[in-house]
């Protein structure tokens, strides 16, 4: 039996039943928002490599995400998802994600 998502909680941007969806679904309730943020961040980065995207646009997006990843690791995230993850790490007494 799989646990139901909490009422009013939006799921992550992944296919239901996928490994990533199951990771979110089985995460402790207090961690689901952060897991969803991580999965959404992954989805945003992966969108830079989707079929049909113009080559120069893909490079620009990937370059920006590369910079944002470095900023997140340094504790200076600019993107709202990165700031959410950084705050979650600080709240749990962890160093910024690398």
């Amino acid at each position: 039996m799989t646990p139901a998502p909490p009422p009013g909680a939006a799921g992550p941007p992944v296919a239901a039943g996928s490994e990533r969806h199951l990771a979110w679904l089985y995460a402790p309730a207090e961690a689901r928002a952060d897991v969803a943020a991580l999965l959404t961040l992954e989805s945003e980065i992966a969108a830079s490599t989707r079929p049909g995207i113009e080559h120069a646009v893909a490079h620009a997006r990937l370059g920006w995400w590369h910079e944002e990843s470095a900023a997140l690791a340094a504790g200076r995230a600019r993107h709202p998802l990165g700031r959410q993850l950084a705050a979650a790490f600080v709240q749990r007494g962890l160093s910024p994600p690398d």
Side-chain angles (χ1 to χ4, degrees):
M1 177 175 182
T2 60
V14 294
S18 69
E19 292 172 346
R20 285 168 174 76
H21 181 256
L22 294 174
W24 172 82
L25 191 63
Y26 285 100
E30 63 274 7
R32 282 191 182 147
D34 298 328
V35 172
L38 182 61
L39 294 171
T40 303
L41 186 66
E42 177 195 34
S43 177
E44 286 290 323
I45 295 168
S48 302
T49 63
R50 69 182 180 272
I53 192 168
E54 184 182 334
H55 188 77
V57 172
H59 274 277
R61 284 180 59 100
L62 288 170
W64 189 89
W65 281 113
H66 180 74
E67 291 174 13
E68 181 62 11
S69 296
L72 174 60
R76 299 185 316 270
R78 299 167 295 195
H79 193 278
L81 292 169
R83 289 194 302 249
Q84 178 182 345
L85 290 172
F89 272 65
V90 169
Q91 181 182 11
R92 289 169 177 80
L94 303 170
S95 61
D98 57 4

